[in-house]
Amino acid sequence: MVDRRDPPAPTEATPESTAQTHCRQWYHAHGQAIYSYLRFHLSSPDEAEDLTADVFLRALRRFDRFDPSIGSPKAWLFRIAQNALRDHQPQSRRRPVVPIGSFRDLKCEAPSPEERVLWEEQVGRLLTAMAELSSNDRQIITLCYGAELPVTEAGELLGLNATAARTRLWRALGRLRKVLVQ
């Protein structure tokens, strides 16, 4: 016997399900970059993972505030990450240097223990040199090289046009080179 009743009407997407869908897509597209950015500023992978989750939870809760005409989802998420990082680290606990020993989770393709030690020494020198730079210099370098954002997107996050962002990055890298040579 054939059921001749009308099929149930498709359920309309609720604002909550739309927000969840978008945030899930954004997490898959940008989650690793957000984690890398936060990891560079925090002393442990657990803290970075927790804060990454917090960033996407904040995005989900404030999804109605996202305006694609103002900026990309990636830029919006990085702005949330910057604010989450500021909220996470009280002024008295902020520290410009993260110990090299806490970076064991970062990728290293070194095939031997000796090469791994040399890599750790290089990273240690880099982190020490980064600590000597201004906050603005560290921010642009971290966004471009830690989170692997294009310079234009890093500039957008910092409120800079593309030319100013490229100039700031160029000058920051020059200052970093000088510190590393000393």
Side-chain angles (χ1 to χ4, degrees):
M1 178 172 221
V2 176
D3 185 11
R4 301 206 185 273
R5 288 181 287 171
D6 288 336
T11 57
E12 292 186 25
T14 64
E16 292 82 20
S17 67
T18 301
Q20 289 173 353
T21 301
H22 278 86
C23 287
R24 186 176 299 114
Q25 291 170 346
W26 294 344
Y27 178 79
H28 290 295
H30 310 300
Q32 184 59 47
I34 297 288
Y35 170 83
S36 296
Y37 169 75
L38 293 170
R39 181 64 183 99
F40 197 86
H41 291 281
L42 298 168
S43 62
S44 80
D46 293 335
E47 277 185 302
E49 287 174 6
D50 289 347
L51 211 51
T52 300
D54 186 50
V55 166
F56 286 92
L57 183 59
R58 289 181 186 200
L60 181 62
R61 289 180 178 156
R62 296 182 182 118
F63 182 76
D64 59 323
R65 295 183 186 175
F66 174 67
D67 183 356
S69 67
I70 294 176
S72 70
K74 190 175 190 178
W76 187 61
L77 290 168
F78 270 96
R79 178 67 66 202
I80 293 171
Q82 287 174 327
N83 291 335
L85 189 61
R86 262 186 233 112
D87 294 346
H88 178 72
Q89 296 177 317
Q91 194 69 293
S92 60
R93 286 188 49 221
R94 287 190 189 165
R95 54 188 170 148
V97 178
V98 178
I100 184 65
S102 68
F103 279 88
R104 300 260 183 241
D105 62 315
L106 296 182
K107 296 177 188 172
C108 177
E109 304 298 328
S112 71
E114 293 83 11
E115 289 176 329
R116 174 73 185 201
V117 168
L118 290 173
W119 178 81
E120 286 181 0
E121 287 176 4
Q122 290 174 340
V123 171
R125 282 191 36 212
L126 178 64
L127 292 175
T128 301
M130 287 282 292
E132 293 185 33
L133 299 177
S134 72
S135 176
N136 286 339
D137 287 351
R138 283 192 311 269
Q139 197 68 283
I140 191 80
I141 291 171
T142 302
L143 287 169
C144 291
Y145 293 99
E148 299 179 352
L149 290 180
V151 179
T152 53
E153 285 185 39
E156 182 181 330
L157 283 170
L158 298 173
L160 303 170
N161 65 39
T163 304
R166 280 191 291 276
T167 302
R168 181 178 289 180
L169 179 61
W170 176 258
R171 290 178 180 167
L173 290 173
R175 286 187 280 273
L176 180 61
R177 271 187 227 100
K178 284 181 184 176
V179 171
L180 284 169
V181 170
Q182 293 177 353

